[in-house]
Amino acid sequence: MVLLDLHEDALAAIAAHTADAVDLCCLSAACRTFHRLIMEDDASTQLVWASLVAELIPVPPPERAPCAQLYRALSSCDDLRWLPTELKVCRADPQRMKHELVGRTGAAVCELAGASLLFGGTLNGNHGPVLGDLLVLDYDEASKSVSIWPAPMEVLGADGMEIHPGPRRGHSMTSTQLADGSHVACVLGGWGYDELTMAPALLHVVDEGGLFRWSRPQVRGSLPDGRAFHTATEVARSSILVYGGLGSGCCRNDLALLDLHRMLWSQPAVGGIPRCPGGRAGHGACFFMNRERRGELLLISGALRSASGDSHLDSVDVIEVESSFELDAHGDFGGTTLSLRWSDQSAWGNIVLPKVRTLLLMTSDGPPSVDLC
């Protein structure tokens, strides 16, 4: 077998269609680039087939670092499918709960203290009503059923005043950590019965019994313009990066950073050029940590609103994120500084997705069937 160093695009295409560990071993024996990838990349050594390759093939002297594109192709997961589930409404008026679950859109979901939470949304699209309820969802793998019930709330804040972010849709809800170590969910933006605002509302866990309470912290810095259908992603400890969304009659293309350790808003600089300079709304966002303090924020699909109307996007934009930690005078964690850059890797530009507002992955089996019992 001839030793070859193929072009990275060709290697990525081969790897994407190779799922068998034995075939990957053969490729590693035939191609020096595959070989270096498996032996030298810290992340790739954790893959299930890496130990098998290490036993079969001796380690060669290092020549150059493996490419990140090839590693992503080798370690990607493409076996995703919907599972039929049964929805069980608990601890509430079942008829009312069913009515407010069917056709709900524009809600936000996150995980906090081991609980999956759903907040807000709307019924009947733009016609409403807009909702402000907080629900707990629990999936039982054995029975393949989802139970849902209203989250127990402590309605008064620390100052004795009742606090609630209010009904809204198109908002974001992101789990993160505060300076005191407590875990919270941060709600930003969205349309409600008041004007668009980015003033954060925090959801706290009051006790181990699953009691929740809202608060509105005082945050310094310049508050970003209000928006809905944006994304807000934790890219480092206590650091939430907001991108895009719909503003007042426009599609936004700016970035804003909320540092909940310093309680500070800022507009971070970002190098490079995005593939979609007009912004995105209703898009998806996923952050992947490639190595310590370095990762990639993927911005997927969505829509672009302009004077000529909406156009659905089929592209992927990637922001390369590098973080550095700062220490305070006592040597404790004092915050995070981020370095951001739009990725110029050509492989991202070759990806073409279905033209939808938010990317949805499914198999030929179709979406799950949900029985409102």
Side-chain angles (χ1 to χ4, degrees), residues 24-349:
L24 286 169
C25 286
C26 294
L27 285 171
S28 301
C31 179
R32 291 191 298 270
T33 304
F34 273 104
H35 196 243
R36 284 191 296 270
L37 172 75
I38 294 167
M39 296 303 177
E40 297 174 28
D41 188 278
D42 291 338
S44 65
T45 58
Q46 304 304 314
L47 299 177
V48 293
W49 44 264
S51 58
L52 175 62
V53 177
E55 291 178 4
L56 295 177
I57 308 172
V59 179
E63 297 180 17
R64 64 181 176 86
C67 72
Q69 174 194 346
L70 184 57
Y71 168 66
R72 286 192 295 269
L74 285 170
S75 59
S76 62
C77 175
D78 57 3
D79 184 18
L80 303 174
R81 66 188 64 191
W82 289 105
L83 294 176
T85 59
E86 178 186 11
L87 183 62
K88 296 181 178 180
V89 178
C90 307
R91 309 180 195 177
D93 180 350
Q95 295 303 319
R96 176 178 173 273
M97 287 284 288
K98 290 179 183 178
H99 170 71
E100 294 190 351
L101 286 172
V102 177
R104 181 186 297 225
T105 59
V109 179
C110 77
E111 185 170 332
L112 179 63
S116 296
L117 303 174
L118 182 150
F119 172 65
T122 182
L123 302 177
N124 306 313
N126 293 339
H127 300 288
V130 182
L131 307 173
D133 52 348
L134 180 70
L135 304 177
V136 180
L137 299 92
D138 180 65
Y139 177 67
D140 184 354
E141 186 174 0
S143 63
K144 291 184 171 54
S145 63
V146 176
S147 299
I148 186 166
W149 62 89
M153 297 295 301
E154 184 178 275
V155 297
L156 300 181
D159 57 359
M161 302 294 291
E162 184 173 350
I163 297 177
H164 191 279
R168 58 182 73 194
R169 64 186 181 95
H171 52 287
S172 61
M173 184 164 66
T174 311
S175 296
T176 188
Q177 192 174 11
L178 298 183
D180 61 4
S182 61
H183 293 271
V184 298
C186 178
V187 171
L188 294 169
W191 273 306
Y193 295 119
D194 53 3
E195 63 182 13
L196 283 169
T197 178
M198 292 296 285
L202 299 183
L203 181 66
H204 302 256
V205 181
V206 178
D207 57 32
E208 294 181 357
L211 190 65
F212 297 94
R213 180 181 63 216
W214 291 103
S215 72
R216 284 192 176 273
Q218 295 295 319
V219 182
R220 300 176 291 113
S222 178
L223 193 70
D225 292 333
R227 66 199 68 200
F229 300 103
H230 55 283
T231 52
T233 313
E234 184 183 50
V235 295
R237 179 180 172 183
S238 307
S239 300
I240 297 176
L241 192 62
V242 176
Y243 173 75
L246 288 179
S248 299
C250 67
C251 188
R252 306 209 61 87
N253 63 356
D254 57 333
L255 288 162
L257 179 64
L258 176 58
D259 185 337
L260 284 173
H261 186 87
R262 301 183 180 96
M263 289 296 173
L264 176 67
W265 277 110
S266 63
Q267 283 70 49
V270 54
I273 301 174
R275 291 183 174 83
C276 181
R280 297 173 186 265
H283 53 286
C286 304
F287 182 68
F288 297 94
M289 186 68 74
N290 290 339
R291 60 188 66 184
E292 185 180 5
R293 301 184 185 178
R294 290 188 180 184
E296 293 170 321
L297 175 63
L298 275 64
L299 305 170
I300 307 170
S301 295
L304 171 62
R305 172 170 290 183
S306 64
S308 58
D310 287 359
S311 60
H312 291 220
L313 303 173
D314 58 2
S315 63
V316 174
D317 261 316
V318 178
I319 300 177
E320 298 172 350
V321 181
E322 183 174 356
S323 59
S324 59
F325 298 155
E326 298 181 9
L327 302 179
D328 60 19
H330 304 286
D332 298 324
F333 176 73
T336 304
T337 300
L338 298 180
S339 174
L340 307 175
R341 181 175 180 80
W342 294 102
S343 176
D344 57 3
Q345 285 198 34
S346 59
W348 297 120

